[in-house]
Amino acid sequence: MAKPLMAKATAVWLVDNTTISFKQIADFVGMHELEVQGIADGDVAAGVKGFDPIANNQLTQDEIDTAQNNPLHKLKLKFNPAASGEEKRRGPRYTPLSKRQDRPNSILWLVKFHPELSDGQIAKLVGTTKPTIQSIRERTHWNISNMQPIDPVALGLCKQSELDAIVQKAAAKKAAEGGVMSDDERRKLVSTEQSLEMDAAPKIPTAIEGLETFSLSDDPAEEKEEEPIIDADSFFNLPKGGADDEDEDDPRP
């Protein structure tokens, strides 16, 4: 299915100017639903100016109205005869100059959290070279001490759907090899879509939270001993007897 020009800018415009669902926009522009939600939250595509698909002959107003009234409707790109038969450009991924300094951080993130990915997969995903990846794997990169692992999707170097695709491919390869994966490796191989479909971990109700280790005991020996009652005289160490005793000891008439 053909995708619109300037997909991210088109998604920004649709989020800002329509009530179309994130799922519909994601399917239309070829992005992940979470990326579109990130655009709405301001976490993704900050500073990107919206690209009007109506003014640029990619969508019609009737198509947008239909999608707004029916959440199940899939947006269809307006037919452009000039683009008929156009093939996808082959070659390495282009990375804008403004994001090239962040590329080593994304490679470090992929190497750390997805070591099952090959150098070729990482190079294709973020647009880098194998020697650079190898130097980061071996921690011989000239700037390794100042690098921080950052998700390439958050940096805008790749799409979440692309990252999920290579993770699923790595999971299928692991399964085909028959290797036993640890729990940590299994969690890394789960895509975003699969993780969102998982059931949430059971939580302890708030009313009984903190009582997990509470137990009742019938043994009276374990009960706390009562503290003896202390009267005022013993507390202040007063001598026994009252005022009459003092009068008897007084030699004065």
Side-chain angles (χ1 to χ4, degrees):
M1 179 180 177
K3 301 299 179 184
L5 298 174
M6 301 180 65
K8 186 169 291 187
T10 301
V12 170
W13 189 93
L14 291 173
V15 168
D16 293 340
N17 296 277
T18 69
T19 60
I20 301 175
S21 68
F22 296 155
K23 176 65 175 174
Q24 290 172 295
I25 297 175
D27 292 340
F28 176 66
V29 300
M31 298 172 62
H32 195 276
E33 186 176 353
L34 293 179
E35 288 184 272
V36 180
Q37 184 175 350
I39 292 175
D41 295 338
D43 299 330
V44 179
V48 175
K49 185 178 180 180
F51 185 73
D52 188 350
I54 300 177
N56 291 279
N57 203 30
Q58 298 188 93
L59 275 178
T60 62
Q61 186 61 51
D62 293 339
E63 184 72 9
I64 291 178
D65 293 339
T66 302
Q68 290 182 138
N69 296 327
N70 182 11
L72 299 179
H73 178 76
K74 291 187 177 182
L75 289 168
K76 296 180 181 179
L77 188 67
K78 189 176 180 181
F79 177 70
N80 184 6
S84 180
E86 182 179 356
E87 296 183 357
K88 185 177 179 181
R89 176 181 176 272
R90 296 180 179 272
R93 178 188 296 272
Y94 172 76
T95 304
L97 292 174
S98 59
K99 296 181 180 180
R100 290 183 185 179
Q101 70 272 13
D102 296 326
R103 194 160 46 188
N105 295 329
S106 67
I107 298 172
L108 181 61
W109 188 91
L110 292 169
V111 169
K112 180 177 180 181
F113 294 103
H114 291 288
E116 72 280 356
L117 298 179
S118 66
D119 292 354
Q121 288 175 313
I122 296 177
K124 184 178 180 181
L125 186 67
V126 298
T128 186
T129 60
K130 291 184 179 181
T132 302
I133 300 171
Q134 193 65 27
S135 65
I136 294 176
R137 283 190 188 275
E138 298 174 354
R139 304 193 66 83
T140 58
H141 191 275
W142 66 271
N143 197 32
I144 191 68
S145 60
N146 298 321
M147 290 166 54
Q148 297 291 334
I150 303 178
D151 189 342
V153 177
L155 293 173
L157 294 174
C158 68
K159 299 178 182 178
Q160 186 67 53
S161 57
E162 295 172 336
L163 178 58
D164 287 347
I166 63 170
V167 168
Q168 292 173 355
K169 188 175 181 180
K173 184 178 180 180
K174 280 277 186 180
E177 293 175 353
V180 179
M181 292 184 292
S182 63
D183 292 339
D184 189 43
E185 290 177 334
R186 191 176 292 105
R187 283 191 294 269
K188 291 177 180 178
L189 293 177
V190 174
S191 66
T192 304
E193 293 179 352
Q194 292 172 322
S195 63
L196 292 175
E197 293 174 357
M198 291 182 177
D199 296 332
K203 296 182 178 179
I204 299 175
T206 307
I208 63 172
E209 188 174 1
L211 301 178
E212 301 91 332
T213 59
F214 179 79
S215 62
L216 296 175
S217 175
D218 296 331
D219 188 358
E222 296 180 1
E223 296 181 359
K224 187 178 180 181
E225 296 182 359
E226 296 183 358
E227 296 182 358
I229 300 175
I230 303 175
D231 58 356
D233 293 339
S234 60
F235 183 81
F236 291 103
N237 197 18
L238 297 176
K240 295 183 179 181
D244 297 340
D245 297 338
E246 294 179 358
D247 294 340
E248 293 177 357
D249 296 338
D250 193 352
R252 293 177 295 177

